[in-house]
Amino acid sequence: MATHRFDPNFTDNVVNAIGPNSNPRFRDLMASLIRHVHDFARENELTVDEWMAGVQLMNWAGQMSNDKRNEGQLVCDVIGLESLVDEITFKLASEATDTPTATAILGPFFRADTPYRDNGANIVTTGVSDGEMVFMHGRVVDFETKTPLVGATVEVWQASTNGLYEQQDPEQQEFNLRGKFRTDENGRYWFYCLRPTPYPVPDDGPAGKLLKLMDRHPFRPAHIHIIATYDNYKPLTTQIFDRKDPYLTNDSVFAVKDSLVVDFVPRKDDPQAGLELNYDVKLVPSEEKAKGA
C-alpha cells in the first residue's frame, strides 16, 4: 500500500476551494498554477526559510517598481518567462501561410507617456561622444496584402551608449532616445537614432541578485524597442537586434529571434548619420476586422 510523506489531499482541497462563479479560464489557470507550485514545493521539500526568501524577493520587486521601471517584469525576464510567454502568444497568433513581424518582450523600461515626434526628428536629445548615428526608416503594412497602413503609430525607445535608459540616468533629458511617429500617406516612418549598444540589466534589485546567484552574466545584446499600432490591427511589441553584437546567442533575457536580427549599413551624403537601417513592420488584422471582412 502506497504511503504519502505529505497530505495527499491537500492540493485537491485548495483547488476545489475555487468557487463556481470563478471565470472558467481563470479557474483553469489558477488550478494549474496551484498544482505546479505545490508539486515544486513537495519535490524540493521547500523550507519556510526558502519560501520566505522568495516572498521577500517578490516584495522587493514590487517596492522597486513604478511607472518608469518594472522590476517584477525584469525578474520574469531573467528566468526566461516573458520570452516564453511571448513565443507562445506569437505562435498562436501567426499560424497562417505568411508570417507577420515577430514579437519580442516589452522589457521593464517602457513608458506609456512617450510624446509624438515629427517624422525625420532626431530622438537623440542628449548627445553622446561615443555613439554612431543611424537613419532608421521603413513602412508599416498589412502582412497579407502588403497594403501600407496610413497613420499607424511606431513607438521606439533605446538605451544610451552608457547602458542606461533615460529614466535611469539623471544626466539624460526626459524622453531622450524615445519617440512616437505616425506613418505618412505611403505607410512610411523615419527618424534618427543611435546604433544600439549592449548593456547589463540593472543589478541593484532582485533580478540582478538572481543573475548573480545563478552565476550568469547580465548583458543584453544591442537592440531597439518597437511598438506598432493601428486601428483594427493587433498591436505589435518587438525588438530588433544588431547582427554584429557579441551577445546575440547569449541574451540574459532570452529574447532574440533570428528574424529580428538586422543589419546597419553605411549611409552616404547625410551629415546627420553615417549608418542606415531599413525596417518594415507587418501587422495582423484583429479578429474583429477579420470577421467583418
Side-chain angles (χ1 to χ4, degrees):
M1 183 176 178
T3 59
H4 297 275
R5 193 167 178 201
F6 306 105
D7 182 354
N9 300 313
F10 181 77
T11 298
D12 284 341
N13 290 338
V14 175
V15 170
N16 292 335
I18 302 174
N21 295 322
S22 179
N23 176 278
R25 173 63 173 169
F26 177 77
R27 178 187 178 87
D28 289 344
L29 290 173
M30 284 306 302
S32 179
L33 175 64
I34 290 166
R35 292 190 186 282
H36 280 78
V37 170
H38 285 203
D39 285 344
F40 168 81
R42 280 188 289 263
E43 289 168 9
N44 293 280
E45 298 188 356
L46 196 67
T47 68
V48 169
D49 288 343
E50 291 166 338
W51 167 71
M52 275 305 302
V55 171
Q56 290 167 358
L57 184 141
M58 289 191 295
N59 290 343
W60 184 12
Q63 291 159 1
M64 291 191 69
S65 297
N66 53 39
D67 60 347
K68 294 183 178 181
R69 172 175 177 173
N70 190 329
E71 186 68 17
Q73 191 167 1
L74 187 57
V75 170
C76 291
D77 289 348
V78 301
I79 63 172
L81 181 58
E82 187 178 3
S83 289
L84 175 59
V85 172
D86 170 70
E87 179 189 7
I88 294 168
T89 303
F90 179 70
K91 180 66 175 177
L92 293 174
S94 63
E95 291 175 335
T97 56
D98 195 4
T99 304
T101 301
T103 55
I105 63 175
L106 178 68
F109 294 108
F110 168 73
R111 290 191 63 172
D113 54 349
T114 295
Y116 278 92
R117 302 182 189 272
D118 293 332
N119 278 312
N122 186 350
I123 65 172
V124 187
T125 57
T126 299
V128 296
S129 60
D130 57 347
E132 296 179 90
M133 290 297 299
V134 174
F135 177 70
M136 181 170 169
H137 62 102
R139 295 195 311 154
V140 180
V141 299
D142 181 295
F143 93 107
E144 286 185 332
T145 66
K146 305 304 184 289
T147 302
L149 301 180
V150 179
T153 294
V154 177
E155 180 172 357
V156 297
W157 68 103
Q158 62 180 144
S160 189
T161 54
N162 63 359
L164 300 175
Y165 289 87
E166 51 87 14
Q167 69 264 57
Q168 299 174 274
D169 184 2
E171 299 301 317
Q172 295 183 45
Q173 291 184 20
E174 190 169 25
F175 302 116
N176 180 46
L177 296 168
R178 296 179 184 269
K180 290 181 181 177
F181 300 89
R182 286 193 176 93
T183 57
D184 69 4
E185 65 275 8
N186 296 308
R188 299 180 306 160
Y189 70 91
W190 64 97
F191 61 90
Y192 289 91
C193 62
L194 288 175
R195 184 176 195 165
T197 50
Y199 64 84
V201 299
D203 64 357
D204 58 341
K209 182 175 181 178
L210 275 178
L211 285 172
K212 291 175 184 176
L213 290 171
M214 291 187 289
D215 190 26
R216 286 174 42 200
H217 77 76
F219 280 90
R220 294 228 54 214
H223 61 279
I224 298 173
H225 292 268
I226 299 174
I227 293 179
T229 56
Y230 190 67
D231 288 346
N232 298 318
Y233 281 75
K234 295 179 181 179
L236 172 78
T237 300
T238 194
Q239 301 177 23
I240 51 177
F241 300 88
D242 189 340
R243 190 178 306 279
K244 295 185 177 180
D245 191 275
Y247 294 101
L248 279 182
T249 59
N250 196 16
D251 180 7
S252 63
V253 304
F254 311 99
V256 179
K257 295 183 177 76
D258 290 343
S259 64
L260 297 178
V261 177
V262 299
D263 294 293
F264 294 84
V265 300
R267 180 172 173 82
K268 298 179 180 179
D269 303 322
D270 187 340
Q272 286 188 258
L275 294 171
E276 181 174 345
L277 174 62
N278 185 359
Y279 192 76
D280 291 344
V281 175
K282 297 182 289 183
L283 295 184
V284 178
S286 65
E287 293 179 4
E288 290 76 12
K289 177 179 173 63
K291 289 177 182 178

